[in-house]
Amino acid sequence: MAPKVGSLRPAWVFALLCTSLSLFTNPSWYATAKRVSYSDHCASTVPEATPDRYSLATLPLSGYQSGYFSGGGNILGPFSSSESNSFSFHVCDVSKTDQDEVLKIEANLKFQTSGYHYYVGGNYGYGQTCSEDTSVWEANVSGGARTPVTFRLEGFWSKSSGKLCMVGSSLSSRGDSLNLDAVLKLNNVNNSADITSLFTGTLESLSPLDDENYFDEVSILMFPQKNNQYSLVSGKLNNGKSNLPQGLAPRSGSFCTAFHNLGELSLKYGPDCSPVKQCTPVSGPLGYLPPVMSLYEIHCSEGERKMRVLLRFSNNSNFYYYGKFDPNLTLVGEATWDENKNHLEMKACPIHVAGSFSTARVEDCTVRIELMFPGVWSIKERNGILGHIWSEKSQKDSGYFPDIMLRGTGRSTWEFPDLKYKYTETERVRKQCPGKPDPKRGRERYPNWFSRDMAFNMVVKNSEGKIGSGYSYPLFVDDHMYEQYAYGMRVSRLDTATSVTRHENSTVDSRSTSSSNARFNISYHIGFSGLQYMKGKSKIANFNQSWSSNDRVEISAEGVYDAQTGELCMVGCKRVMSTVKKRADINPDCEILIRLQFPPLSKRRQDHIVGTIESMRERSDLLHFEKQNVTSDSPYMEELRRSIWGMDLEICLVLASNTFLCIFIGLQILHTKKHPEVLPFVSIAMLVILTLGSAIPLVLNFEALFLRHRTGQHISLGSGRWLEMNEVLVRVATMIAFLMQFRLLQLTWAARKKDGVGAGLWFQEKKASIVCLLLYAIGALAAIIFSWRSRSDNMPVDANLADSAQCLQELI
C-alpha cells in the first residue's frame, strides 16, 4: 500500500524534491531528447525511410572516421598554424530501412582542437551508442578562443546516389543546450573507393542569419578508409630514376605494422634549387623548401602488401605534432611493396582545393616516391629509411620538380629482424675505458645486458646549473637487437657461438649475469632537450658552439658494458636538431665520451644511475663543450617487483586487521545487547575517533570501491590483478567496520542520553577530545611541512623525468 504523504519523513521528502529538480532543471535531460526535423532539411537529398532497429548494416564510412574541416570560425574560434583543424566522425549505429537502398545512421561529429593529431586508419566496427561518446565541450559563439564542439546527428544514407544527410544539435560541456542545430550533407560516400575518391560536404546552421546561434558554414573533407581499390599501383611500377640499393624486408605478417607511422623524413634538395624555382611536389609559395615530410596510413592491406597514405610537407621537426592540415602541402598516394628489391614504391597526387574543403579533388598523379630500409647500421650511419622523390613529368611540363633525397630514423627494429650493426669504435672505447681490476668484481649483481633496466629516463645537468631531460635506450647488444630480446624472446634462437647462449633454452633473465666474460659490445641512442635554467638566471649568456635551450640533442653511441661492475663506457656522435633551422647538423661531432655507472640490483635502497657526457676535444676547439652530468631515477624492474610484493603484503595485513576489527566490534555489539547497562560508560570520544578512522579512508578512496580510473597508469608485473582485488577487499572490509563502529557509537550515544545516565562523564570526554585534537594537529602540521620541503627539493628533477617518460615509451 502506498504511504501517505503525511507519513513521509522530511529526509525522504527532501531527497524526492532534489531528484525531481535535478531532472527538470538539468538541460541535458531535455536537450538529449530534442529532435530536429529531418524531413524539413534532408527530404530532397535522401528521402526519409522507416528504420528496422533489429536489422544491422554497414557503411562505406568506418566506425571511427577522421577528417578535416575549414570555416565555422564563429563557433570554433580563430585558427592558427599550431592548431589542428581535424574532426572525428563516430558512427554509433547503422540499421536497414524499409527501402533497400537507404540506411538509417546515428553518429557523433566532434571537432578537435589539439595540435597533436594522429590519423585514425583501419576499419572499426559500429555498436557503441552515441550517449556513451558524448564528450561534448563548450563552444564560444562570441568568437573568442577556440574550443571543441560535438554534434549528435541522425539521418539516412542513399546507396545509389552516395549522399548522406543528417540533422542534429550540439551540447556544451555543462550539459546545457547550445541550440546549435545543424544539417550535415556528404557527397561521394560510395562503397568503392579509388585514389580520387573523397568524402566531401558541409555542416550548415539551421538558425536564422541574425540569430545568436547561427554559425558559418563548415566545409568537410574525409579520405575513405574502407573498400579501397589500389588503382595507381595495381600493376608493376617502372623503376624510373630510382637507383636505391637492395633493402630489408619486414617480417612476415607485419607489413602494415612496420609502415603505420614512419615518423619524420628529412628532405635534401638539389643544389640548383633557388627562390624563383619550383622544387617541391606541393603547391606552396615559390621557393618554399619544407625540410620535413611525414607519412600517415589511411588504409592498409596486409595480404596485398599495399596501403593508402597521406604525405605531409611541413616546417615542424616534431613528428607527433601535426598542426593545421593544409591540402596545398599534402599529397595522397598509394604504396606497394616490391619483393624483388625490398622497396616501398609509391605514386602520389596533389590535392586541389578551390576555396573550401568541400571542393577538394585529386588529380595529376605523377609524383613518385621510393623508400628502402638499410640492412647495416653503424655509429655514423643510423638512417632507418632512405628514399627518393621525383616527378614523372619532363622538365618542360608544368608541375615538374628536381629530384629530392630523403632519410629518416622512424623505423621499428622489431619489424626488421635481419638488421645488423657494425661496430667501428670498439678499439677506441677499450683504450678510453680499459677496465681496472676490482677485487670485489662479481660480488654484486648488475642489470642484465638485455634487461629493460638498460633503457631509462635521465636528467642532464652542466656546471652552470642548467638542466635538460631525456632518455637513453640500447639498440644492439653484440650482434643482437635489444628490442627483440628485452621483452621475453627466447635466447635459444641466438647463434650458439655467442656468449649470450649461456642462458640456453630459456628466456633472458634480467636478474642474473654470468661470472665470466661479462663485457659486451653495445650501441645506444641518447636524446635530450637543450639545457636551460630551472631556477634563477644565467650569468653567462653564451657557451660557444654548444646547444641552446630550444634545441634537441641526439647522440648515437657505441661502446662496452661490463655486467660484473655495471660500468657502461661509450663513444658517441652528437647531432643537434635546431628549432630555428628545422634540421640537424650535417656533420656530427664524434669526439664525445659517455660514462655511465649502474647501481647494483641487490641494494634495498637503490642508488641513481650516474654518469657524464664530455667532449674529447681540446678546450680551444670550437666544438668543445663542458662536461655534462647524467642522473636517472628510473627504478629497476626488480625494485618494482619488491615494491609490488611489499604492497601486496601490506594490503594483506590491512585486510586481516580490518577483518579482526569487524569481528571484535561485532562481539562488542553482542555484549552490549546482553548487558545494556555498560553502554553509557563507553567513551564517546574513543568511538568517534575510531569511526572517523574507518570513514576517512573510504572518503579518500571512494572510487577504488566502485569506479576505475580510465586515465590511470598501471605497471604490469604479474600481480596487478591480485593487487586490485586486494584493494577492493580492503575497502569492503573498511566499510563494514565503519558501519558496525557507527552502530556502536549510535547505541552508546542513545544510552548516554537516556535518563541522564553517565552525565558526569562529559567533562572527561571533553578533556580527552581536546588532548587528542592537539596531538593530531601537531602531527598533521609536521607531516605537511616535511612533505612540502621534500616536494620542493625534488620538483625540478621529477618534472623533467615525467616529461621524458612518454618519449621513452614511444621510442622503445
Side-chain angles (χ1 to χ4, degrees), residues 22 40 96 98 151 281 411 430 458 474 480 595 614 655 717 784:
S22 65
D40 292 346
K96 295 181 180 180
D98 57 351
F151 288 88
R411 181 186 95 183
R430 295 186 184 275
M458 65 183 189
H480 310 292
R595 296 174 182 266
E614 55 186 300
L655 179 61
L717 294 174
I784 292 172

Side-chain angles (χ1 to χ4, degrees), residues 55 105 169 205 230 350 641 648 659:
S55 181
I105 303 165
S169 59
S205 175
Y230 297 98
R641 291 189 183 95
D648 280 335
T659 303

Side-chain angles (χ1 to χ4, degrees), residues 10 54 58 99 124 241 378 547 594 597 629 806:
Y54 301 99
T58 59
Q99 299 182 25
Y124 297 87
K241 300 180 181 180
S378 66
W547 42 81
I594 303 164
Q597 178 62 54
N629 294 315
Q806 182 178 3

Side-chain angles (χ1 to χ4, degrees), residues 465-619:
K466 295 184 177 182
I467 295 177
S469 62
Y471 54 87
S472 180
Y473 64 91
L475 297 175
F476 281 80
V477 179
D478 283 343
D479 297 328
H480 310 292
M481 277 186 281
Y482 167 82
E483 193 176 75
Q484 292 188 358
Y485 298 98
Y487 298 96
M489 182 174 287
R490 302 186 72 82
V491 183
S492 58
R493 295 179 55 187
L494 298 178
D495 182 5
T496 56
T498 65
S499 59
V500 187
T501 51
R502 289 190 285 266
H503 304 283
E504 291 186 9
N505 300 319
S506 63
T507 303
V508 175
D509 182 8
S510 63
R511 297 170 294 175
S512 63
T513 59
S514 173
S515 60
S516 61
N517 190 23
R519 288 172 65 88
F520 296 90
N521 293 330
I522 194 168
S523 62
Y524 260 81
H525 179 83
I526 301 172
F528 57 92
S529 59
L531 307 183
Q532 53 187 323
Y533 284 100
M534 300 302 296
K535 295 181 180 179
K537 296 184 178 180
S538 173
K539 297 181 180 179
I540 304 175
N542 187 20
F543 41 105
N544 52 51
Q545 292 293 326
S546 186
W547 42 81
S548 71
S549 60
N550 294 323
D551 292 339
R552 184 76 188 168
V553 181
E554 304 288 339
I555 300 177
S556 56
E558 67 177 49
V560 176
Y561 172 64
D562 192 331
Q564 289 188 342
T565 62
E567 181 183 7
L568 175 61
C569 183
M570 299 181 292
V571 169
C573 291
K574 173 179 69 70
R575 293 177 175 86
V576 179
M577 179 64 71
S578 173
T579 56
V580 178
K581 298 180 181 179
K582 304 295 182 182
R583 61 187 68 192
D585 292 343
I586 299 176
N587 297 318
D589 177 14
C590 293
E591 296 296 324
I592 295 177
L593 182 63
I594 303 164
R595 296 174 182 266
L596 297 173
Q597 178 62 54
F598 290 82
L601 291 169
S602 57
K603 289 195 174 182
R604 301 298 296 179
R605 288 188 177 181
Q606 180 190 324
D607 295 333
H608 303 310
I609 300 174
V610 296
T612 59
I613 300 175
E614 55 186 300
S615 176
M616 294 188 290
R617 297 179 181 272
E618 298 293 334
R619 298 187 66 88

